[in-house]
DNA sequence: CACGCGTGGAA
DNA sequence: TTTCCAAGCGT
């Protein structure tokens, strides 16, 4: 019979001591129990959804400089907010953020509500973000569970059930070890522990304040948790983009549909993204205008959240100024190369633009 | 509940 | 080079 020493439950106080000594500086974060500007907290939470702290920081500075208050952001145009979000990814968040701050103005007189239920009712705010804002901005008692917290709980309690099925259990475990005060600091402390110590790979268990309370560490198996369902492979897709230049040296762009991927952002016209390379007839069908296209050198490869895309380039000079054929739905516009960055562009469009400019400069 | 939805850093 | 995956949300 294996004799096993019962582990003491993890101590919130011990974690808070570690946090006070080791927490990173973040521009929206206050230390020593002080509460942040609620607008800063809300803005950072939108940006931090599925996005790492280091990636968010420059965007946070840009937003707060341009829109110092929630009211200022609520008065901005959606195009401007999307433009400022360009490159950050998951672009739906920009639209939800804009809708959210406008809803705060309309429903709550411009003051961010403090209770989870009212927060949860706002666009783009789900269970995590509502709990995080309530706890961090207002020091309300809330169970703040993100991917970090799930990983920490799965290890501390050696949860065998696989993600995502284990989510409910992990939430219950997180709620079972809340502190009696400093709810905001504690929420950040568990997440910070997950981000800095209890990492997915090579966790730093020997430096962890909960080392002696961790069932997974006791088994020498920390990295094996959380258990996960196997996930499927990401498909490869292909497309061709048309770089259309007019005599004024402008290039043709079109706006993507509001729904779906990269909604409302600008791209070069091209073929749909499909698992087979576009056929000759597809190229003819989807070219924005009929002219002699030159083939670019190397295709641009890009990885999205759920597939890979390889985009070939066709470059053509349009003899006459023309208005794009109306059979192509959507909004079109001509832009100077140097003005491209004034549009809300996804990274794919920027990379295609770079490849096209390289090609054109090599030819001239 | 499973899926669609970006990007870049780390290993 | 490839793989993993991050302070999730809406449908």
């Amino acid at each position: 019979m294996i004799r096993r020493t019962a582990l003491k439950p993890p101590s919130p106080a011990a974690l808070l001591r570690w946090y006070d000594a080791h927490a990173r500086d973040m521009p929206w974060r206050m230390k020593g129990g002080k509460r942040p500007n609620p607008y800063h907290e809300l803005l950072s939470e939108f940006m931090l959804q599925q996005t790492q702290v280091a990636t968010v920081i420059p965007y946070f500075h840009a937003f707060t400089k341009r829109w110092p208050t929630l009211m200022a952001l609520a008065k901005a145009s959606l195009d401007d907010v999307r433009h400022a979000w360009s490159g950050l990814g998951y672009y739906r968040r920009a639209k939800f953020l804009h809708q959210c701050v406008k809803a705060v103005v309309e429903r709550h007189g411009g003051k961010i509500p403090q209770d989870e239920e009212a927060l949860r009712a706002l666009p783009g705010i789900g269970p995590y973000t509502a709990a995080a804002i309530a706890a961090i901005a207002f020091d309300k008692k809330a169970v703040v569970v993100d991917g970090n917290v799930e990983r920490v709980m799965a290890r501390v309690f050696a949860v065998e059930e696989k993600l995502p099925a284990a989510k409910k259990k992990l939430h219950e475990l997180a709620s079972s070890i809340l502190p009696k005060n400093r709810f905001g600091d504690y929420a950040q402390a568990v997440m910070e522990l997950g981000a800095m110590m209890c990492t997915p790979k090579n966790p730093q268990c020997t430096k962890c304040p909960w080392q002696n309370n961790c069932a997974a560490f006791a088994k020498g198996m920390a990295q094996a948790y959380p258990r996960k369902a196997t996930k499927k492979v990401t498909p490869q897709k292909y497309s061709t983009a048309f770089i259309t230049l007019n005599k004024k040296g402008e290039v043709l762009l079109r706006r993507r549909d509001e729904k779906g991927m990269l909604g409302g952002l600008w791209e070069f016209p091209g073929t749909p993204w499909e698992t087979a390379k576009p056929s000759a007839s597809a190229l003819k069908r989807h070219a924005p205008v009929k002219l002699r296209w030159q083939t670019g050198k190397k295709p641009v490869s890009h990885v999205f959240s759920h597939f890979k895309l390889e985009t070939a380039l066709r470059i053509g000079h349009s003899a006459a100024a023309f208005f794009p054929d109306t059979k192509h739905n959507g909004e079109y516009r001509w832009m100077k190369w140097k003005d491209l960055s004034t549009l809300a562009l996804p990274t794919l469009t920027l990379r295609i633009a770079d490849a096209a400019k390289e090609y054109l400069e090599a030819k001239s």
Side-chain angles (χ1 to χ4, degrees):
Chain A
M1 175 177 167
I2 300 173
R3 200 163 155 275
R4 169 172 313 188
T5 316
L7 293 168
K8 286 183 186 168
S11 150
L15 180 58
L16 281 164
R17 282 195 294 278
W18 171 84
Y19 178 76
D20 288 337
H22 297 99
R24 291 172 288 176
D25 280 323
M26 299 176 197
W28 53 84
R29 173 175 280 178
M30 302 300 277
K31 287 182 168 178
K34 286 171 65 182
R35 299 180 198 172
N37 177 328
Y39 165 58
H40 289 180
E41 166 58 17
L42 181 144
L43 176 62
S44 70
E45 291 300 347
F46 269 84
M47 292 180 164
L48 286 163
Q49 289 169 4
Q50 293 286 283
T51 308
Q52 297 191 342
V53 169
T55 305
V56 163
I57 286 175
Y59 285 86
F60 178 84
H61 284 309
F63 268 68
T64 51
K65 183 175 180 190
R66 182 161 181 188
W67 299 294
T69 63
L70 182 144
M71 191 63 74
L73 183 59
K75 288 178 180 168
S77 74
L78 176 56
D79 271 343
D80 283 347
V81 176
R82 275 192 177 130
H83 177 244
W85 199 274
S86 180
L88 191 54
Y90 283 138
Y91 296 95
R92 203 171 48 150
R93 292 181 295 170
K95 191 172 183 175
F96 285 144
L97 169 64
H98 192 231
Q99 291 175 344
C100 178
V101 295
K102 287 196 293 185
V104 168
V105 171
E106 289 165 13
R107 300 179 199 171
H108 305 286
K111 289 195 71 175
I112 296 170
Q114 302 199 8
D115 63 290
E116 281 185 79
E117 192 181 338
L119 286 162
R120 181 71 183 76
L122 293 165
I125 294 187
Y128 161 75
T129 305
I133 294 172
I136 297 170
F138 304 114
D139 210 32
K140 301 288 184 187
K141 186 171 187 176
V143 187
V144 181
V145 181
D146 72 335
N148 288 307
V149 180
E150 287 181 344
R151 185 170 57 255
V152 171
M153 296 303 142
R155 287 176 177 169
V156 166
F157 297 103
V159 174
E160 294 298 335
E161 193 175 355
K162 292 176 180 174
L163 281 175
K167 280 176 177 290
K168 186 164 182 282
K169 178 175 287 182
L170 294 169
H171 188 279
E172 288 168 2
L173 290 168
S175 74
S176 74
I177 53 172
L178 290 181
K180 291 191 171 64
N181 54 22
R182 293 188 67 186
F183 302 113
D185 284 346
Y186 176 76
Q188 294 177 90
V190 189
M191 293 191 282
E192 190 80 350
L193 186 74
M196 305 305 292
M197 297 258 121
C198 197
T199 48
K201 294 171 189 169
N202 306 317
Q204 308 294 303
C205 298
T206 56
K207 300 177 186 171
C208 178
W210 282 352
Q211 169 189 164
N212 295 323
N213 314 91
C214 181
F217 176 69
K219 295 203 276 188
M221 296 277 288
Q223 191 168 327
Y225 297 86
R227 310 291 195 191
K228 290 191 175 179
T230 55
K231 59 172 189 284
K232 49 189 180 183
V233 294
T234 58
Q236 175 76 56
K237 296 189 179 185
Y238 301 90
S239 72
T240 293
F242 296 95
I243 313 299
T244 317
L245 300 155
N246 67 16
K247 290 197 162 175
K248 293 195 269 187
E250 294 167 328
V251 62
L252 183 66
L253 279 294
R254 76 175 166 197
R255 190 198 282 272
R256 293 178 60 84
D257 193 283
E258 280 293 321
K259 300 188 297 287
M261 274 202 71
L262 310 178
L265 277 69
W266 293 85
E267 68 177 359
F268 296 105
T271 65
W273 305 346
E274 293 175 339
T275 51
K277 291 189 178 178
S279 64
S281 72
L283 292 180
K284 191 169 289 184
R285 198 163 57 249
H286 292 285
V289 63
K290 190 173 177 184
L291 49 76
R292 220 163 55 79
W293 297 99
Q294 305 166 50
T295 303
K297 288 180 300 189
K298 253 198 307 195
V300 171
S301 293
H302 193 69
V303 180
F304 291 111
S305 53
H306 53 299
F307 63 91
K308 302 171 191 170
L309 180 67
E310 183 182 302
T311 301
L313 271 56
R314 294 294 171 91
I315 294 142
H317 296 266
S318 171
F322 71 96
F323 193 78
D325 195 314
T326 50
K327 77 183 174 186
H328 301 286
N329 296 321
E331 186 183 346
Y332 286 80
R333 66 186 296 172
W334 293 99
M335 291 293 286
K336 300 248 184 242
W337 282 111
K338 68 174 179 58
D339 294 332
L340 271 192
S341 61
T342 64
L343 294 176
L345 304 178
T347 297
L348 172 66
T349 302
L350 283 173
R351 294 187 55 200
I352 291 173
D354 286 344
K357 276 188 282 189
E358 200 175 313
Y359 174 85
L360 291 165
E361 282 161 13
K363 286 209 74 177
S364 61

